[in-house]
Amino acid sequence: GKHGILHIHLGNLETKIDTILSIVRQYPSLISYFSPTHTIRTRELFEECIKFAKMGGIIDISTGGTKFTEPHLAVGMALEAGVPLANITFSSDGRGGVRREDPVTGNVTYKPAPLDLNYKEMVQLVKKNILPLDQALFLVTVNPARNLSLKNKGSIAVGKDADFLLLNEDLSISSVYAKGKLMFNKD
């Protein structure tokens, strides 16, 4: 039941997302099949991605990796530019390997990406008054679930998977439930 999308990891190409914009301008019904991520590698790339989102596409702001600004600030920029909140998601590349080569020794190592960046950026959206909590959560719940057509994820309702993140007043994590089972309890 998962929606088939082309999740495109964007690089720092001179052409930015010209090809994607050209396709969706010619065939607007295809816009929901494209899901560009790493949209904040450069300011120029992000400006093109904002155009895509204003046309109705969903852009993903990676909370890890190369970026010209902090992800929560990029959300604010997109919203100010007129991108609907429903057209923005966060993702982390959680545990994806980042290849590093020591310039002196030539030794290659891999550093796994952190798992908590989406949460940290969501908290920054709230603490810096960019979005209230109920809207900031959409970037990591409702919006990604809708983008992927994951009907049992993203919100709380009868028949859904009962995934819950309980927060304290200071937005620290209190408990985590997955499919109704307690997975973590700080207290």
Side-chain angles (χ1 to χ4, degrees):
K2 185 177 170 184
H3 179 62
I5 60 170
L6 180 57
H7 197 65
I8 304 168
H9 286 238
L10 301 176
N12 191 15
L13 298 175
E14 191 175 305
T15 57
K16 299 167 197 57
I17 63 167
D18 292 350
T19 302
I20 298 169
L21 289 173
S22 175
I23 292 169
V24 299
R25 283 182 180 125
Q26 188 170 0
Y27 305 100
S29 64
L30 297 180
I31 201 163
S32 69
Y33 293 99
F34 291 96
S35 182
T37 187
H38 295 285
T39 57
I40 63 171
R41 286 192 192 275
T42 68
R43 180 179 296 276
E44 296 79 18
L45 176 64
F46 191 54
E47 288 169 359
E48 293 296 300
C49 292
I50 285 174
K51 290 178 189 175
F52 176 82
K54 288 173 75 174
M55 294 169 67
I58 296 177
I59 57 172
D60 182 69
I61 297 173
S62 179
T63 54
T66 308
K67 53 191 179 261
F68 78 91
T69 191
E70 295 305 311
H72 62 276
L73 297 176
V75 170
M77 292 169 60
L79 294 171
E80 285 177 18
V83 174
L85 179 61
N87 292 33
I88 308 169
T89 62
F90 272 160
S91 70
S92 68
D93 273 355
R95 302 314 282 176
V98 177
R99 183 181 187 272
R100 304 272 188 226
E101 184 174 340
D102 186 302
V104 176
T105 66
N107 290 340
V108 174
T109 59
Y110 288 88
K111 179 182 176 189
L115 294 172
D116 60 351
L117 296 178
N118 290 345
Y119 162 73
K120 286 180 176 179
E121 289 297 323
M122 184 273 305
V123 167
Q124 287 302 307
L125 284 168
V126 177
K127 288 192 174 184
K128 294 198 175 169
N129 294 313
I130 297 169
L131 286 172
L133 179 59
D134 64 326
Q135 292 179 21
L137 286 167
F138 276 49
L139 294 158
V140 294
T141 59
V142 173
N143 296 354
R146 186 175 42 83
N147 189 32
L148 296 170
S149 292
L150 299 175
K151 296 181 184 354
N152 291 331
K153 301 286 184 189
S155 60
I156 300 168
V158 174
K160 300 254 181 165
D161 281 346
D163 297 332
F164 298 98
L165 172 69
L166 303 179
L167 301 174
N168 295 311
E169 281 194 41
D170 66 355
L171 301 182
S172 63
I173 297 173
S174 171
S175 304
V176 177
Y177 291 82
K179 293 190 175 185
K181 289 186 175 186
L182 179 64
M183 304 304 285
F184 170 80
N185 189 11
K186 186 176 181 181
D187 301 325

